[in-house]
């Protein structure tokens, strides 16, 4: 019996290579009952520390505790290298700053397996999607690639942040946009049967406090002039807020968030007194919408509107900082995935808290933690008491997030998106019972269905749990 609503799982190519197409599809269809799969246009091989990247991703050092549920080449952590799964058509990239990664022997030996997998999935009546990065050339996988210095997003003072988790370029860069559009066109040529393309991080991912204050690059300044925004007013407002958080906070700035109204009155007053801040948030949202609109036009031209555009984004309220406006995005999207990557939320709280506490020594740590819990809306209560308690969860540790908070984020995103479906993107990382609780929350809160990320964290028991929750509840 097929699940009555949409149910997708992200299957990275390395598992197609190691487990085989039929076994893998037997797992996700037979055990979990999925209706869709997504993969990416690359193939993988083992590497060493010097030449590869850690799998699972290390997430700015915090994610080093992560281990795979499904061993890869017999290992739960390893170093890997990749190559594109297809031969790019270089006419699409002529005269562009960024060029596709060159095919290698790995491409020639294993590349065709991606096309074979997509065809086999469709033969089982599944929808098939490819996932690429929105702003990280060459775009096949998040850990490989990145922009040149001229296309890096910058802080209000013009600096490139010294530490980042993501490698997104400036969304205002015409070079970034032109490359990703060329890639989308090329994928429609190489894989003409796909149902859709998921673009990951079409926003400014706010993993660290500095990342909230992007983007004041040359490209952003030129875009602001073109779009009618007062760039200098925006930059001054952002710089003032940056300085406040980096040395000018006092205890009274935190106590307001413990008041019965949750600090809403003070926040509205602050935004009213500093119109540059609201203009800055709107500017980022317009940059994201322009990016998505260019992707939609490209897919329309390349595939006659047949291929869906499905962006993956942070949940509210993180999207206020990332620039992803669900209402604006819905104008160009067939559906939207809202990421419930709940192992990242405690990591982010700790990153923000450590940066603020080190710059404002007069703050009480417990008050800061509680304020951050409220700002991020990640707990159903007061939260934990120390920053150290918000560590990246180890594989068998439940994620310190609230079920009501997760459901609230899903409802908020769907309300803004209107009639366009919002699919929670639940993450498979974590112990079985915690995963089941998070999946059940997402499934019940969404009227349309869910995506699950990703197959490498889905043990056989978790696959069975997906079927139990999504096909029977």
């Amino acid at each position: 019996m097929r699940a009555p609503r949409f149910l997708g799982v992200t299957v990275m190519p390395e598992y197609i290579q190691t487990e085989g197409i039929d076994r893998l599809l037997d797992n996700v269809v037979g055990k979990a009952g999925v209706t869709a799969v997504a993969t990416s246009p690359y193939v993988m091989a083992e590497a060493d520390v010097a030449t590869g990247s850690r799998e699972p991703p290390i997430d700015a050092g915090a994610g080093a505790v992560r281990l795979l549920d499904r061993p890869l080449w017999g290992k739960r952590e390893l170093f890997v290298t990749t190559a594109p799964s297809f031969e790019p058509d270089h006419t699409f990239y002529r005269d562009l700053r960024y060029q596709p990664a060159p095919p290698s022997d790995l491409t020639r030996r294993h590349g065709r397996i991606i096309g074979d997998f997509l065809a086999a999935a469709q033969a089982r009546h599944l929808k098939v999607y490819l996932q690429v990065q929105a702003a990280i050339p060459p775009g096949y996988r998040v850990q490989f690639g990145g922009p040149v210095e001229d296309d890096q997003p910058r802080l209000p003072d013009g600096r490139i942040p010294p530490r980042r988790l993501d490698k997104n370029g400036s969304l205002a860069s015409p070079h970034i946009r032109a490359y990703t559009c060329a890639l989308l066109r090329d994928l429609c040529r190489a894989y003409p049967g796909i149902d859709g393309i998921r673009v990951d991080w079409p926003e400014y991912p706010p993993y660290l406090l500095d990342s909230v204050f992007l983007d004041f690059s040359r490209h952003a300044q030129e875009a602001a002039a073109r779009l009618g925004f007062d760039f200098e007013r925006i930059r001054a407002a952002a710089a003032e807020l940056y300085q406040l958080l980096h040395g000018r906070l006092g205890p009274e700035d935190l106590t307001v968030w413990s008041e019965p109204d949750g600090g809403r009155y003070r926040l509205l007053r602050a935004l009213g007194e500093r119109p540059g801040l609201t203009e800055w948030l709107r500017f980022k949202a317009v940059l994201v919408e322009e990016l998505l609109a260019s992707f939609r036009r490209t897919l329309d031209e390349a595939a006659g509107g047949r291929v869906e555009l499905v962006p993956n984004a942070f949940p509210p309220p993180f999207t206020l900082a990332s620039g992803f406006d669900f209402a604006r995005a819905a104008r160009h999207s067939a559906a939207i995935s809202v990421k419930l990557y709940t192992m990242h939320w405690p990591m982010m709280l700790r990153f923000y808290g450590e940066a603020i506490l080190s710059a404002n020594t007069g703050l009480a740590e417990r008050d800061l933690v509680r304020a951050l819990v409220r700002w991020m809306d990640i707990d159903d209560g007061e939260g934990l008491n120390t920053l150290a308690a918000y560590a990246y969860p180890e594989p068998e540790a439940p994620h310190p997030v609230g079920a009501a908070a997760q459901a609230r984020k899903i409802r908020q995103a769907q309300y803004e998106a209107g009639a366009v479906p919002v699919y929670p993107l639940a993450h498979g990382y974590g112990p079985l019972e915690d995963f089941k609780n998070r999946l059940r929350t997402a499934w019940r809160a969404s009227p349309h269905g869910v995506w699950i990320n990703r197959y490498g964290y889905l043990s056989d028991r978790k696959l069975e749990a997906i079927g139990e929750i999504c096909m029977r509840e």
Side-chain angles (χ1 to χ4, degrees):
M1 179 179 176
R2 187 63 52 84
R5 288 185 281 152
F6 185 96
L7 177 58
V9 63
T10 308
V11 179
M12 305 313 283
E14 51 268 29
Y15 285 97
I16 305 171
Q17 293 176 248
T18 56
E19 294 195 3
I21 293 172
D22 289 336
R23 177 188 167 195
L24 193 154
L25 289 175
D26 286 345
N27 280 341
V28 298
V29 176
K31 291 186 174 71
V34 305
T35 65
V37 290
T39 191
S40 291
Y42 69 82
V43 284
M44 181 181 283
E46 280 196 84
D48 55 29
V49 176
T51 61
S53 178
R54 185 184 185 267
E55 178 64 19
I58 201 165
D59 286 348
V65 299
R66 271 209 284 190
L67 297 173
L68 297 166
D69 277 58
R70 306 190 75 86
L72 195 57
W73 288 290
K75 301 173 183 176
R76 296 187 67 192
E77 59 177 328
L78 67 164
F79 287 83
V80 298
T81 187
T82 64
S85 60
F86 65 102
E87 294 274 348
D89 183 340
H90 288 276
T91 61
F92 294 132
Y93 309 90
R94 185 176 293 127
D95 299 325
L96 297 187
R97 170 173 285 180
Y98 297 99
Q99 296 295 306
S104 69
D105 287 341
L106 184 57
T107 306
R108 288 180 278 277
R109 291 196 311 272
H110 301 291
R112 67 172 295 169
I113 198 171
I114 299 303
D116 292 344
F117 171 74
L118 297 173
Q122 286 183 318
R124 298 197 189 204
H125 308 292
L126 304 182
K127 296 186 75 172
V128 298
Y129 296 80
L130 288 175
Q131 177 169 303
V132 295
Q133 298 304 309
I136 310 178
Y140 310 136
R141 181 176 165 88
V142 64
Q143 288 80 23
F144 294 87
V148 300
E149 184 173 337
D150 181 56
D151 290 326
Q152 293 267 16
R154 293 175 182 265
L155 294 167
D157 61 4
R159 289 182 300 127
I160 295 173
R163 183 188 184 199
R164 291 179 65 194
L165 188 147
D166 66 281
K167 298 180 181 180
N168 268 27
S170 168
L171 303 189
S173 166
H175 306 290
I176 295 286
R177 185 179 303 174
Y179 174 80
T180 308
C181 287
L183 174 61
L184 298 184
R185 192 180 301 274
D186 206 3
L187 291 175
C188 289
R189 172 202 60 85
Y191 300 101
I194 57 174
D195 292 290
I197 293 181
R198 302 192 335 181
V199 288
D200 200 31
W201 283 344
E203 55 190 340
Y204 290 98
Y207 283 111
L208 291 102
L209 187 60
D210 272 2
S211 300
V212 170
F213 290 88
L214 304 175
D215 173 23
F216 295 91
S217 63
R218 173 178 64 87
H219 297 304
Q221 184 172 13
E222 292 170 355
R226 173 174 55 80
L227 295 167
F229 287 90
D230 187 334
F231 188 74
E232 289 308 316
R233 181 166 71 173
I234 290 172
R235 177 155 56 188
E240 180 185 10
L241 179 59
Y242 188 93
Q243 291 161 5
L244 172 67
L245 295 176
H246 289 81
R248 299 182 183 174
L249 282 180
E252 68 280 1
D253 295 304
L254 300 182
T255 55
V256 63
W257 299 100
S258 62
E259 294 174 358
D261 79 331
R264 286 185 289 274
Y265 174 76
R266 180 79 68 87
L267 177 62
L268 291 172
R269 285 282 297 165
L271 291 174
E273 292 169 358
R274 297 171 179 82
L277 288 178
T278 54
E279 189 175 7
W280 170 41
L281 298 179
R282 190 165 63 87
F283 175 52
K284 287 203 280 189
V286 171
L287 290 180
V288 170
E289 184 181 7
E290 277 206 327
L291 187 73
L292 292 174
S294 71
F295 295 165
R296 182 66 266 166
R297 286 193 301 270
T298 298
L299 292 177
D300 288 345
E301 294 165 2
R306 185 188 59 78
V307 175
E308 299 175 11
L309 175 64
V310 183
N312 300 342
F314 272 77
F318 298 116
T319 42
L320 292 173
S322 79
F324 193 94
D325 182 313
F326 287 90
R328 290 177 179 272
R331 299 168 186 168
H332 314 284
S333 307
I336 301 170
S337 294
V338 59
K339 293 181 175 180
L340 296 184
Y341 290 7
T342 50
M343 72 287 189
H344 285 165
W345 300 351
M347 172 191 76
M348 293 169 65
L349 186 147
R350 187 166 180 173
F351 284 164
Y352 283 39
E354 289 175 344
I356 292 171
L357 198 61
S358 66
N360 300 274
T361 55
L363 299 181
E365 182 176 354
R366 183 176 181 180
D367 291 342
L368 176 59
V369 169
R370 291 189 172 180
L372 288 169
V373 167
R374 283 182 176 267
W375 291 343
M376 295 180 175
D377 190 20
I378 63 173
D379 203 299
D380 299 339
E382 294 293 330
L384 306 174
N385 292 327
T386 65
L387 291 174
Y390 284 97
Y392 200 112
E394 295 196 3
E396 296 306 316
H399 301 181
V401 298
Q406 294 172 68
R408 187 161 47 247
K409 293 176 188 297
I410 297 166
R411 291 194 299 268
Q412 288 168 342
Q414 185 63 74
Y415 175 79
E416 292 181 26
V420 172
V422 169
Y423 297 126
L425 185 51
H427 208 287
Y429 176 69
L432 175 62
E433 290 304 315
D434 185 58
F435 166 71
K436 289 168 63 175
N437 290 337
R438 291 183 281 109
L439 175 61
R440 186 176 286 110
T441 295
W443 186 251
R444 290 176 175 175
S446 170
H448 299 289
V450 301
W451 276 102
I452 300 170
N453 199 59
R454 51 195 172 106
Y455 183 72
Y457 297 110
L458 300 178
S459 63
D460 286 350
R461 186 64 193 92
K462 286 182 182 176
L463 289 170
E464 292 165 357
I466 294 169
E468 293 167 3
I469 292 169
C470 301
M471 295 179 70
R472 299 173 190 170
E473 293 194 6

